[in-house]
Amino acid sequence: MSENRIIKKYKNGELTVLWEPKKCIHAAICVETLPKVYDPNAKPWIKPENASIQELKAQIDKCPSSALTYEVENLELNENKNISMKTKVDVMENGPLLVQGTLHIKNINGEVEIKNKTTAFCRCGASVNKPYCDGAHKKIDFVG
Ligand code: SF4
Ligand code: FES
């Protein structure tokens, strides 16, 4: 399997949306939040010109896998990128547990990782990147 990191770019003025297909866990939060921008059946599937920069930033911060990120030319727009948030937990139907907020996650080796924004935890048991979801729930048709 190729280890190449493929990152696709979609530009809207000062903001460029970056999408890394390998990281996408198909939680479809992007499609639900900004359907005018994200349409999996269209080409290109991301049309950033259909939303404001603030709308794009707010939505990209909710992408649970960090498959979506952004680059901005104007530094002021970067300001809020690392702000910590209140904790919120959502159970995705047939998918992961989404936890929003700043999390300190200790893995089984005792290493601590800090996650901001939204983190997706595997509920189906099939992820090879536990405790995180890697999209495997789709492949096994997880129901729950
Ligand atoms: S993981 Fe991110 S890019 Fe992939 S479908 Fe979900 S919100 Fe969209
Ligand atoms: S819930 Fe997504 S891989 Fe298990």
Side-chain angles (χ1 to χ4, degrees), residues 5 7 22 35 130:
R5 256 183 105 196
I7 299 178
K22 265 188 112 174
K130 292 191 194 73

Side-chain angles (χ1 to χ4, degrees), residues 31-115:
V31 181
E32 274 164 33
T33 318
L34 275 184
K36 58 191 176 182
V37 173
Y38 302 94
D39 179 354
N41 299 318
K43 272 201 168 180
W45 84 280
I46 299 177
K47 294 195 179 70
E49 64 276 15
N50 289 347
S52 70
I53 288 179
Q54 293 308 330
E55 282 178 307
L56 289 167
K57 280 178 63 191
Q59 177 279 313
I60 291 168
D61 284 343
K62 291 192 181 116
C63 173
S65 65
S66 300
L68 286 170
T69 53
Y70 59 83
E71 276 172 354
V72 280
E73 286 161 25
N74 175 342
L75 282 181
E76 267 178 39
L77 290 170
N78 258 326
E79 263 173 13
N80 296 327
K81 251 187 154 176
N82 294 319
I83 280 184
S84 61
M85 302 185 291
K86 275 192 192 155
T87 309
K88 183 170 167 269
V89 180
D90 285 311
V91 180
M92 301 296 293
E93 192 177 2
N94 309 329
L97 191 71
L98 297 187
V99 183
Q100 274 181 42
T102 302
L103 308 179
H104 292 232
I105 302 163
K106 195 195 271 184
N107 70 22
I108 49 174
N109 304 321
E111 286 160 15
V112 175
E113 252 188 291
I114 297 177
K115 297 266 192 186

Side-chain angles (χ1 to χ4, degrees), residues 25 92 94-97 120-138 140 142:
I25 59 170
M92 301 296 293
N94 309 329
L97 191 71
F121 292 96
C122 177
R123 286 203 305 132
C124 74
S127 170
V128 293
N129 185 32
K130 292 191 194 73
Y132 309 112
C133 167
D134 67 358
H137 57 268
K138 280 258 170 199
I140 65 161
F142 171 62

